[in-house]
Amino acid sequence: MKGTHLGEFQEIVLLTIMVLDEQAYGVSIKREINEKTNRNISRGALHTALSRLEEKGFIRSKQGEASPDRGGHPKRYYTASNKGIEALQEARTLREQLWNQIPELKWQQPYA
Amino acid sequence: MPDKRNHIPALYQILFKWFCRETIYAELQGDLEEEFHLNVEKYGLVKARNLYRKEVLKMIRASVVKVPSMIVKNPVKLSLLLLNIKLAFRNLFRHKAFSAINVFGLTAALTICLFFVNLIFTGFSLDRQYENLNSLYRVESTVTSKQGDITAMATTPFPSVAMLNEDIPDFDMVCHVRNSAFAIVNVNGIEVELNGLEVDPAFLTLFNLEVLQGDIKDVFNDFESIAITEEVAQRLYPDLYPIGEVTEDGKVIRAIIATPRAHSHMRYEFIGHLNIPISTADTPSFAYSWNAYYDSYTYVLLNGKSDPKALQERLMQFGNKVNRLSGLEQQFSFSIRPVKGIVFSEPVMNEIGTVFGREGLVVFITTILVMLVIACFNYANLSIARAIQRTKEIGVRKVSGSTALQIIGQILIETIFFSLIAPLLAIGLYYYLKDEFIATLPFFADVFKPELSLTIIGVFIFFSVFTGLFAGFFPALYFSRIKALSLFKQGGAKGQLTFLALRKVIITFQLSLSMFTVLFTLLMYQQVAKLAGESQGFETKNRLIVRAESKDAQLLKPAFLTVPGVEAVSQTSGIPGTSINMVESFNELISGDSSIEVQFLLADEAFDEVLEPGLLDGQFFTGKRNSPNKPMLVNRAFLNLLNIDFNRAIGLIIKNKKSSFQIIGIVDDITMGNPFIKTEEAMMIINAEADRSQEVLLLKLEANNLRILTSLEEKWKEILPDYRFEPEYLETYLQKPLTEFLNLVKAEGLLCLAVIAISLLGQVGMALYNAETKVKEIGIRKVLGASLRSIITLLLKGSLAPLIVAIGIGCPLAYFAFINGITPDISSPLKPKPWIFIQGVLGLSTVIILLITSQTWRIAKQNPTESLQAE
């Protein structure tokens, strides 16, 4: 269906949210992605991905607690919705299918 | 970590708060701050701050940034606008050459207008820095000579200034200014002459000067102290501190003041203290007498309660009082003029700076209007052509449901979009060219401030938008009204024909204007060449003028003759080649009421040695003056005036009431150097006893060099140690009125060039358009066997008719404008010959034909199979 496609970066963000379980908010998601994927993403790019995911209904958000560290501003926690989990699983299945269709021979990389 | 909180970059915090959407601000700002603190721990404060800044900048994206409320309210209109802008861009790049021509024509016109608008603005804003500007006035005098010649001067006679101060109560303060002061500075062995003003201390109150260094009041401690302008200081003392420096002629620099150029109507390089001598019992020196009304200016502070009528009355009475003084050769009357806006007020003689007068203002404004009109028409012409090209596209739009308003909007947006690029380019071009402008036209320098104010820029952008509207209006209206279906039919509606006619009219108008300007400019240049080549009737090269009182001149003459390099010295009462103010009348010789007055010059025997005039008959002065008859040389006009037969003239004695004269020689006509005074006036050169009025020494030098001048100055100083040696070259003196005329012609020539360039751009544009629309026709013709030449001829035909009409209009117009507007004022007018007109016509036509041919060459050469394929 159109509009429910999961982009590559969005997939990573969604996966990270699931990894972090209840502790997924801006700073933690960003840190996790930076460490695990070795990509240096900006908070702005992350925000765009998060808002797209929210628009598509793959994640939900709720306001968290404030702290002096954050200048008194509250956090926003993100969790994956059922729709989001389903989309992740579909994506995974699709990849596995394609992987399985590649003939064994292709995995032998010839060296000159 | 409370104290570290304060180290978050404040500016970026504010920036982020400004552009971030309110709904997500709290979350994002909180994250940013939390991360900042973590980074401080990890990397240190400096890096953490840098990372914070980068994060904020990376937040500039659509999902974060606020949407302007206008867009939120009108999403449909906005998307249409964006679409139209996109289309405008696309069209711009599709026809690159065409668009470039379009925009550049407008740009060129706007650039020129920028210069002239700047001149006008600066002219009106001169002197605004003076606090008292609204009460500042200048007293001027009108001088009536004995012969009845009336001259309006910006100056007043030297002694009148003190009298004005006493007699006129309306003047709160009176300031005496003299502008013939000069100083000599030695820079690396080269002597540089500076021109300046001598003023009294009231000057400081009337004109509050901006003092940059030193103390301006020191200038009035003695008569040797001066204050130089900043421009002079930078030019002559770039690395020195000039305060305290002594100039070559003994002046001491006490202060540096702001340069008056483009800020004040006065022109000077330094200011000194005016020395007003206490009058002695003997006849005062010429420089301080009533005859000295050439370089003395009176500026006053007018009392706010002064009544203009009463003041006028008092000035008139003052004039009467002055004229009753004994020994006056002239009669004076006085008036006042406000200093505000003086640059564009009626010009008078001996102005203290550059004045353009009402006429100048009119010329500037006309120039601007003409430029703008041409550019506007040009642009409209090309835009209409472009719009017609897209007839089918508009048809499709209409069929798809566009409203009339949307069509109009589309076309207007396109043309305005194009025309907005022009002022931006014009401003860029202006800044690039402004130094050239001043270098080419230096007499504008006093009234030209290179910086453009926001007002001017705003006005130009407004004008460009207006041009865009004007250019787009007609096609927009036309397209929005007609029925969609008719647009698809071949040949288009009858409206297209009116368009064609309209465009032809515009082109013809432009061509006529170009033809007129080309011919007129050619005529002007020929005229100038003629004037410059005119012989004066005597030699002017390496001739020097030195002025001194008669008795001093008599002493100076033999002294100068001892200087090696001086070949001859003559003492005269005036300078030939200019208006001579001394006249003898011969009324007795004729009957009736008419009077005969002849200009005369008193000269000694060395006259012919110095000036070498042409001799038609008789001889020059021999030095013998035995008889009671004064020997004189006359010209042919004199003989004609008194009905004397040429062959019987020599030896003839002529008497009038005062004396008797004998003609000993007839000289070739000595002309007047001023191009605007009619020549062929009767003239007498009389060999008389040296008397009070022979105050000019004319020297013939073997060469023009500094060594001779220095030796002359030494001789001068031996005889007149208290007076300055102020020689002037005869050539320069006679050239002055011509130089100003030359400058005007130069300026006009440049303008014409611009007009022609813009018109030519229009021609090229039209030619390109014509060629592009006929691509298929050309293809078919080629297939049928037409040669390249016949194709080009076909394309040229369209331009031929307007060209012929233009010739028919331009030639007579130029001829009459020149004959009636220019020649009546010129002493030796040019008689326009047909050859000039042929030159101009052929020249312009050739240029146009070449331009059109070169542009359409490419299209004419196209392979017909290719051009017929594309649709």
Side-chain angles (χ1 to χ4, degrees), chain B residues 325-588:
Chain B
L325 293 171
S326 64
L328 279 195
E329 288 175 21
Q330 298 77 230
Q331 298 281 292
F332 299 97
S333 69
F334 297 87
S335 56
I336 61 166
R337 177 205 296 259
V339 168
K340 196 172 180 181
I342 210 169
V343 170
F344 294 117
S345 60
E346 205 50 52
V348 286
M349 302 296 285
N350 290 43
E351 277 289 352
I352 201 170
T354 314
V355 163
F356 296 118
R358 264 290 113 72
E359 278 172 8
L361 189 62
V362 165
V363 166
F364 288 165
I365 293 182
T366 317
T367 308
I368 294 172
L369 284 176
V370 164
M371 289 268 102
L372 292 181
V373 163
I374 296 177
C376 201
F377 273 135
N378 222 12
Y379 187 75
N381 195 2
L382 296 172
S383 299
I384 292 175
R386 198 176 47 228
I388 291 183
Q389 252 184 327
R390 296 159 56 205
T391 321
K392 290 221 181 84
E393 177 195 334
I394 308 245
V396 169
R397 270 183 210 273
K398 290 202 113 178
V399 165
S400 312
S402 286
T403 64
L405 214 58
Q406 284 169 336
I407 304 270
I408 291 179
Q410 175 195 346
I411 296 183
L412 283 179
I413 286 174
E414 268 197 41
T415 50
I416 293 176
F417 176 75
F418 272 76
S419 62
L420 274 178
I421 302 177
L424 296 174
L425 288 178
I427 293 172
L429 201 59
Y430 168 88
Y431 275 105
Y432 183 69
L433 288 176
K434 62 183 162 104
D435 295 326
E436 291 288 316
F437 181 71
I438 286 302
T440 320
L441 302 170
F443 64 99
F444 281 145
D446 289 342
V447 196
F448 185 73
K449 221 185 287 185
E451 297 73 37
L452 288 172
S453 73
L454 278 174
T455 328
I456 300 180
I457 295 180
V459 164
F460 273 87
I461 292 184
F462 171 76
F463 176 77
S464 303
V465 170
F466 173 76
T467 309
L469 279 171
F470 176 74
F473 182 68
F474 291 108
L477 207 57
Y478 165 69
F479 280 125
S480 66
R481 282 218 205 122
I482 60 174
K483 293 204 177 19
L485 222 48
S486 65
L487 286 170
F488 287 98
K489 296 201 186 126
Q490 276 299 68
K494 71 164 161 56
Q496 259 199 2
L497 286 172
T498 7
F499 265 146
L500 205 61
L502 181 67
R503 274 172 30 234
K504 279 222 157 101
V505 165
I506 293 178
I507 291 182
T508 312
F509 169 74
Q510 280 183 327
L511 268 179
S512 309
L513 195 63
S514 306
M515 188 64 69
F516 169 77
T517 46
V518 163
L519 291 170
F520 191 75
T521 313
L522 272 178
L523 286 169
M524 290 293 268
Y525 269 104
Q526 292 262 15
Q527 173 70 80
V528 169
K530 183 166 198 284
L531 283 175
E534 286 283 318
S535 84
Q536 304 287 345
F538 52 87
E539 278 300 316
T540 55
K541 254 187 144 23
N542 294 339
R543 265 57 175 181
L544 207 63
I545 304 170
V546 178
R547 295 174 205 265
E549 281 178 56
S550 194
K551 55 176 171 57
D552 297 324
Q554 280 177 35
L555 295 171
L556 285 167
K557 178 176 167 181
F560 284 157
L561 279 168
T562 63
V563 171
V566 174
E567 296 183 354
V569 179
S570 173
Q571 187 175 359
T572 66
S573 61
I575 301 167
T578 63
S579 310
I580 304 167
N581 283 324
M582 301 195 291
V583 165
E584 282 282 355
S585 61
F586 291 95
N587 297 341
E588 311 75 20

Side-chain angles (χ1 to χ4, degrees), chain A residues 65-77:
Chain A
E65 76 281 9
S67 70
D69 247 25
R70 297 171 58 81
H73 300 297
K75 296 180 188 178
R76 192 151 204 93
Y77 288 107

Side-chain angles (χ1 to χ4, degrees), chain A residues 25-27 30-31 40-45 47-48 50-51 68-71 73-76 78, chain B residues 1 5 24-35 37-38 42 55 58-59 61-64:
Chain A
Y25 71 105
V27 178
K30 181 171 186 267
R31 183 177 47 218
N40 211 351
I41 61 165
S42 69
R43 182 63 183 84
H47 176 258
T48 305
L50 287 170
S51 42
D69 247 25
R70 297 171 58 81
H73 300 297
K75 296 180 188 178
R76 192 151 204 93
Y78 295 90
Chain B
M1 310 161 271
R5 191 163 313 171
I24 52 177
Y25 172 73
E27 172 198 351
L28 293 175
Q29 179 60 26
D31 282 350
L32 284 174
E33 283 193 40
E34 187 180 331
E35 199 170 7
H37 295 306
L38 290 170
K42 203 166 162 192
E55 283 292 323
K58 285 186 189 173
M59 284 287 192
R61 30 177 69 228
S63 59
V64 176

Side-chain angles (χ1 to χ4, degrees), chain B residues 74-140:
Chain B
N74 301 311
V76 174
K77 285 197 186 141
L78 178 69
S79 69
L80 254 182
L81 181 71
L82 286 173
L83 177 70
N84 282 332
I85 293 180
K86 239 189 260 180
L87 285 174
F89 251 114
R90 200 191 297 157
N91 282 323
L92 178 78
F93 286 106
R94 196 184 286 166
H95 304 279
K96 291 198 197 73
F98 197 67
S99 309
I101 289 175
N102 222 353
V103 167
F104 194 69
L106 193 58
T107 305
L110 281 177
T111 311
I112 293 176
C113 291
L114 272 173
F115 281 109
F116 281 93
V117 165
N118 189 331
L119 279 173
I120 296 181
F121 263 57
T122 312
F124 277 115
S125 69
L126 283 180
D127 300 319
R128 277 199 196 240
Q129 71 274 21
Y130 299 135
E131 289 163 1
N132 303 313
L133 180 62
N134 290 322
S135 344
L136 267 181
Y137 287 78
R138 186 170 70 191
V139 180
E140 301 179 345

Side-chain angles (χ1 to χ4, degrees), chain B residues 97 101 764 767-768 771 850-859:
Chain B
I101 289 175
V764 171
L768 255 181
L850 278 175
L851 264 175
I852 296 178
T853 314
S854 66
Q855 287 306 313
T856 53
W857 187 260
R858 178 182 57 88
I859 293 174

